[in-house]
């Protein structure tokens, strides 16, 4: 790298630094916005700079977590897809349901070579919800008993 490139690289690297003069002092908090801290004392300025740096670090951590979660989701989906392909090649019927929640959000997947898989609907239990079948059967039974009692007693 020659001197001109070094100067250019140094200038590009320093554009993120806080420029100060006697009247205006600012902290770059988002690469597009600045916070005017000119009226603050040195201790307050230093505390704000520390908080801004901590916020940047936290944001980078969250971005890394999200990236890891996205990669993990991709690996899971690729494995499920391969499982379905293998079963299909072997002539086996298969329906795979997978749900997961991570920092990116919730992913619900139904894959397979069956009619259920083709519908693309995740079961209530697969979606993490209670299975209402038993509750519905009990309710229907109670209603049937009440209707029978009304008919038997002459309504």
């Amino acid at each position: 790298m020659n001197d001109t490139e070094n100067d250019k690289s140094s200038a590009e690297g320093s554009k993120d630094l806080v420029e100060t003069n006697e009247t205006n002092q600012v902290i770059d908090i988002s690469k597009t916005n600045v916070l005017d801290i000119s009226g603050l004392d040195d201790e307050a300025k230093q505390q704000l700079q520390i908080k801004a740096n901590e916020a940047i670090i936290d944001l980078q951590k969250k971005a890394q977590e999200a990236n890891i979660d996205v990669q993990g989701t991709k690996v899971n989906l690729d494995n499920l897809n391969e499982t379905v392909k293998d079963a299909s090649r072997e002539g086996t019927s298969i329906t795979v349901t997978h749900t997961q929640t991570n920092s990116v959000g919730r992913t619900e997947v139904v894959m397979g070579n069956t009619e259920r898989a083709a519908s693309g609907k995740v079961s209530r239990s697969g979606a993490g919800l209670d299975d209402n079948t038993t509750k519905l059967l009990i309710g229907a039974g109670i209603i049937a008993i009440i209707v029978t009692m009304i008919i038997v007693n002459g309504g």
Side-chain angles (χ1 to χ4, degrees), residues 57-132:
I57 290 169
D58 287 343
L59 187 60
Q60 289 173 346
K61 282 182 184 177
K62 288 179 182 178
Q64 288 174 350
E65 282 179 21
N67 188 31
I68 289 168
D69 286 344
V70 166
Q71 289 175 3
T73 299
K74 181 181 181 336
V75 168
N76 282 339
L77 295 176
D78 288 347
N79 286 338
L80 294 173
N81 195 30
E82 284 301 315
T83 301
V84 170
K85 283 181 185 177
D86 291 345
S88 294
R89 275 188 226 121
E90 295 170 4
T92 306
S93 296
I94 184 170
T95 300
V96 177
T97 304
H98 177 73
T99 59
Q100 75 179 40
T101 304
N102 56 28
S103 67
V104 180
R106 183 167 176 83
T107 305
E108 298 179 354
V109 178
V110 178
M111 294 183 189
N113 56 13
T114 62
E115 287 182 27
R116 182 167 171 254
S119 75
K121 294 181 182 176
V122 177
S123 67
R124 290 184 57 82
S125 62
L129 302 171
D130 290 336
D131 185 4
N132 289 335

Side-chain angles (χ1 to χ4, degrees), residues 2-21:
N2 62 35
D3 288 340
T4 305
E5 290 173 339
N6 280 335
D7 291 342
K8 188 176 181 181
S9 175
S10 175
E12 288 173 357
S14 67
K15 69 180 174 186
D16 292 337
L17 297 178
V18 176
E19 290 188 28
T20 61
N21 61 32

Side-chain angles (χ1 to χ4, degrees), residues 23-38:
T23 58
N24 291 325
Q25 294 181 339
V26 296
I27 296 174
D28 183 355
I29 58 173
S30 69
K31 305 290 184 213
T32 59
N33 296 319
V34 292
L35 177 63
D36 186 0
I37 60 169
S38 303

